[in-house]
Amino acid sequence: MRERSERTNGHSSTDGIRVAALDDIPEGEGIAIDKAITGTADDIALLRDTDGSVWALDDTCTHEDASLADGWVEDGYVECPLHSSKFCLKNGEVQGLPATRSTCPHRVEVRDGEVYLFPGQAP
Amino acid sequence: MRVVVVGGGVAGVSTVAALRAGGFDGDLTLVDAGEFPYDRPPLSKDYLAGSKDLEQIALQRPHWYDEQGVRLLTRTTVTALRTPDGGIELGDGTLLPADRVVLATGGGAARPPIPGAVGDRVHVLRTAEDADRLRAVLVPGARILVVGAGLIGAEAASTAVDLGCEVVLADPVAMPLAAALGEDLAAWLHGLHARRGITTLRAGIASFAETGDGVEASFAGGVEASFAGGVEPRTSDAAALGAVARAERLRAFDAVVLGVGMTPQTALAEAAGLDVDGGVLVDAGQVTSNPAVLAVGDGARTRRGPRVEHWEAAQHDGARAAATILGTPAPEPPAPWFWTDRHGRHVEVVGHMDAADQIIVRGSFEDPSFSVFGLRDGLVVAAAAVDDSTAVRAARRMIDRRIPADPARLSDPSVNVRVLLRG
Ligand SMILES: Cc1cc2nc3c(=O)[nH]c(=O)nc-3n(C[C@H](O)[C@H](O)[C@H](O)COP(=O)(O)OP(=O)(O)OC[C@H]3O[C@@H](n4cnc5c(N)ncnc54)[C@H](O)[C@@H]3O)c2cc1C
Ligand code: FES
C-alpha cells in the first residue's frame, strides 16, 4: 500500500504525503482523505482531538458504512456518527458495541502547519 | 464468585463485557436460547432486506467469548431460577450453580388480542427467525399490511417498499412518536411514508380473516387515509373510504406485519417470586427484589420510571449491573438515546422531548439534514435530528453537562453546534 502511494504521489515514505493544512481540520472534527490520494483500500479519516493533536484511522466504521471523519472527536476517541461506537485515536481499538472490530490507525506528522500522512505505517 | 447471565441480547452481552472490563475474574456464563448472540436493530433493516446475514449481525465475534473467558451456552433455555440455593436450571434439567444471576431475557413481540392475529400470514418481528419468515414473503408486488407506525412498523414498511412490495401502513394514532420527536418532526416523518408510495391509514384493526389467497383486515371505526404518493389525507369519510379501500385492495393482503410493541419476558422472575410489574422491577443498581438476582434490558424496569425499550439503554443497564456485582460506582447514565432508520433517513433522538416547554428548529425540514431541540427553562432537555448526528451528540452533552443554550444561536445552522457546548 505504501509503495503504491509513493508511486502515485512521488513522496518517499520518510516524507509522508502532505494531505491537509492543520487549519483545515477544526478541533473535535475530522476530514476524509480519498483513497486515491492515500493509495489505501479505504479512505483515511484525519481526526483532530480536543487537545489539538491529529490522528488518522481507516475512515469506514467497522460496523456499518458510516464515515468516521463525520464523527465526534473528543478526549482520545472518535464516536461514530451512526450508532456511537467509539474508536481509540491512537490505536484504532473499538471501545463499545455495536462495532466489534477495531479499525486501522496510520501515522501522521504535523510539520509547519501541514499534515503529512504515512498510510499503512503504525503511529 | 460465579455469575450466570440469562439472555444474550445486547443487555446480556454488555453485562459480561462490562464485568470483564471491570476486572471480574470469577466464573462467567452466558446462556442464550438462540443460535448465538446477535443484534436486533438490523432485523427490521439490513437483515430483513437480505443485505446482511446472521454472522454479520453477531453481537461479538465468535472468538471473543473465549478471549474473555466467558462460557457461552447457545440454543439453551433457562427454565427456572434456583438462586440463592442453586443458581439456574436448564431445559435438560442441568443445574448451573451461581452466586449472582443476571436476567437479560428481553421480551417477545406483542400480539394484540385481535381475532385472527395468530394466523400463518400474520407476522411479528423480534427474532432472526421472524425476520427470515417475513423476508420470504417480501417479494416484489406482494401486498403487505403493516400494523403500527412506531419504530419497528415504520422500518418494516420502509424495507418492504425498498423490496418492491405494495405497502399499507395502519395506525390509530395520527402522529406516531409525537411524544418522542415533537409533533412537527413526527408529522414530517410520518408523511415520508406516503411520499415513498405507502398508503397510510389512520385506523385500528378489528379483526383478520384468512381467505383463500390472503388475509383480510377489518378496520375498527372511522378510517383516514393518505394514499401512496400524496402527503395530506385525502379522505376521512368512512363510507367513501370503505368503497375506495375495497377498490384499491386495501383490505386483502398477502401478509400482515404486527409492529405494535413488545412484551417483557418475565416468566422466570415471576415463577421465582420476584417483584414484577410490566417488567422485572429493579433498583438503581439493577438489583431485583432478590438480592442475588439482577435484571437488565428490555425486560427490566426501575420502580421510578417506565420501561425503556432501546438498544443503548439495554447496554447501560448491563454496565450498571456489572458495577453492582463488582462493587464499583455505577457510571452516570447519559440522557437516553435511540436511532431509527427509514426511507434512507437516519433519525436520532436524545432526551425527553415531551418535557420541553420550547421547541427550536435548526435548519429546515426541506433541507437534507435538520434537527429539533427541546428546551425547558433555558436548558436543552431533548433533541431529534434527521441525518444530523452531530447536533444530537452536541445536544446530549448539553443535557448531561447542563450547558445553557442560546436559542438564537441554536436555531442558526451556520453556527457550529460544537461551539455551543462552550456555553
Ligand atoms: C426489529 C427490531 C429493531 C430495532 N431497532 C432499534 C433501533 O433502530 N434503535 C434502537 O435503539 N433500538 C432498536 N431496537 C430495540 C433493541 O433491539 C432492544 O432494546 C434490545 O434488543 C434489548 O436488548 P435485551 O438484551 O434487553 O433483549 P433482547 O434483545 O430481547 O435479548 C434477549 C435474549 O434473551 C434470550 N432469552 C430470553 N429468555 C431466555 C431463557 N429463558 N433462556 C435463555 N435465553 C433466553 C432471547 O433468546 C434473546 O436472545 C429494535 C428491536 C427490534 C426487535
Ligand atoms: S456504523 Fe459505526 S457504529 Fe454503526
Side-chain angles (χ1 to χ4, degrees):
Chain A
M1 275 192 262
R2 180 149 45 92
E3 273 174 18
R4 193 174 140 210
S5 63
E6 283 166 15
R7 254 198 332 270
T8 332
N9 296 284
H11 288 283
S12 77
S13 62
T14 49
D15 292 342
I17 311 168
R18 184 205 166 276
V19 284
L22 185 60
D23 290 346
D24 294 341
I25 326 169
E27 274 181 22
E29 298 187 38
I31 57 173
I33 307 298
D34 198 291
K35 56 179 181 261
I37 294 170
T38 59
T40 42
D42 187 13
D43 295 349
I44 291 182
L46 279 189
L47 304 159
R48 190 151 179 209
D49 202 351
T50 33
D51 65 4
S53 59
V54 182
W55 305 89
L57 300 175
D58 273 0
D59 186 47
T60 309
C61 179
T62 60
H63 178 232
E64 285 176 5
D65 281 338
S67 160
L68 293 181
D70 292 335
W72 185 282
V73 190
E74 193 177 67
D75 299 336
Y77 293 92
V78 56
E79 189 176 327
C80 174
L82 271 191
H83 312 114
S84 287
S85 274
K86 281 183 162 189
F87 296 89
C88 176
L89 295 173
K90 286 194 176 121
N91 56 24
E93 261 176 37
V94 64
Q95 295 297 310
L97 295 171
T100 56
R101 282 175 295 127
S102 298
T103 189
C104 180
H106 304 271
R107 186 155 81 88
V108 178
E109 261 179 42
V110 180
R111 298 195 296 266
D112 301 329
E114 306 284 340
V115 182
Y116 295 85
L117 190 59
F118 300 79
Q121 283 190 22
Chain B
M1 181 162 35
R2 298 157 304 182
V3 174
V4 174
V5 178
V6 186
V10 65
V13 171
S14 298
T15 304
V16 299
L19 276 169
R20 285 296 188 228
F24 178 77
D25 60 3
D27 206 53
L28 192 49
T29 305
L30 178 65
V31 190
D32 190 71
E35 199 159 322
F36 54 77
Y38 60 80
D39 209 9
R40 273 169 220 282
L43 297 182
S44 49
K45 310 176 182 81
D46 292 356
Y47 185 84
L48 184 62
S51 51
K52 278 201 171 167
D53 63 24
L54 198 61
E55 272 81 30
Q56 285 171 298
I57 66 167
L59 272 166
Q60 290 291 356
R61 289 179 300 157
H63 55 79
W64 182 86
Y65 300 93
D66 279 344
E67 283 167 12
Q68 297 291 316
V70 175
R71 178 151 61 127
L72 176 65
L73 303 178
T74 57
R75 296 194 193 89
T76 306
T77 303
V78 174
T79 47
L81 261 175
R82 303 267 182 249
T83 300
D85 323 308
I88 59 156
E89 189 175 317
L90 304 179
D92 63 5
T94 312
L95 273 179
L96 222 60
D99 303 298
R100 284 287 179 91
V101 174
V102 181
L103 293 174
T105 50
R111 291 256 187 190
I114 301 172
V118 286
D120 278 352
R121 291 175 188 265
V122 181
H123 295 253
V124 292
L125 197 45
R126 180 79 198 179
T127 65
E129 292 80 40
D130 293 338
D132 293 341
R133 243 186 98 231
L134 178 58
R135 182 169 42 179
V137 299
L138 296 183
V139 296
R143 299 159 304 162
I144 306 295
L145 171 67
V146 179
V147 180
L151 297 169
I152 290 173
E155 292 183 356
S158 165
T159 303
V161 162
D162 290 344
L163 293 170
C165 301
E166 224 180 273
V167 181
V168 174
L169 178 61
D171 196 308
V173 173
M175 261 184 277
L177 302 181
L181 300 165
E183 295 205 344
D184 291 343
L185 182 52
W188 183 88
L189 265 186
H190 193 59
L192 278 187
H193 295 303
R195 277 183 245 177
R196 281 292 315 291
I198 294 173
T199 297
T200 58
L201 303 179
R202 183 178 173 187
I205 308 292
S207 64
F208 296 112
E210 291 267 355
T211 64
D213 75 329
V215 50
E216 232 173 63
S218 297
F219 297 103
V223 180
E224 223 174 83
S226 300
F227 291 104
V231 180
E232 294 305 316
R234 281 210 228 126
T235 180
S236 59
D237 179 280
L241 189 92
V244 176
R246 264 184 293 278
E248 299 208 7
R249 300 197 303 172
L250 294 187
R251 288 184 181 279
F253 302 94
D254 296 309
V256 172
V257 185
L258 298 175
V260 295
M262 59 85 72
T263 311
Q265 176 59 264
T266 56
L268 286 177
E270 276 168 62
L274 306 186
D275 289 352
V276 173
D277 178 11
V280 183
L281 288 176
V282 294
D283 67 11
Q286 306 298 139
V287 180
T288 70
S289 54
N290 178 336
V293 182
L294 292 81
V296 291
D298 277 10
R301 175 169 93 76
T302 61
R303 287 172 200 271
R304 284 175 290 125
R307 192 158 37 76
V308 186
E309 298 169 10
H310 298 308
W311 190 94
E312 199 199 48
Q315 194 188 28
H316 287 306
D317 279 5
R320 264 194 305 280
T324 298
I325 292 170
L326 291 164
T328 54
E332 216 24 62
W337 169 78
F338 71 90
W339 79 93
T340 172
D341 298 283
R342 58 174 78 171
H343 305 306
R345 312 300 295 261
H346 179 68
V347 183
E348 291 185 43
V349 182
V350 66
H352 299 281
M353 200 61 85
D354 48 359
D357 58 18
Q358 185 185 4
I359 298 285
I360 289 170
V361 178
R362 182 180 165 88
S364 140
F365 283 25
E366 304 315 313
D367 290 345
S369 68
F370 59 87
S371 44
V372 174
F373 287 78
L375 271 59
R376 184 178 187 87
D377 304 329
L379 289 176
V380 177
V381 292
V386 176
D387 295 330
D388 188 1
S389 74
T390 307
V392 171
R393 274 160 191 75
R396 182 170 216 175
R397 287 161 175 86
M398 293 172 88
I399 299 170
D400 291 343
R401 299 171 195 170
R402 298 182 64 78
I403 297 170
D406 172 353
R409 294 171 77 208
L410 208 53
S411 64
D412 180 356
S414 71
V415 176
N416 187 335
V417 271
R418 297 167 199 262
V419 173
L420 298 175
L421 278 184
R422 293 168 204 152

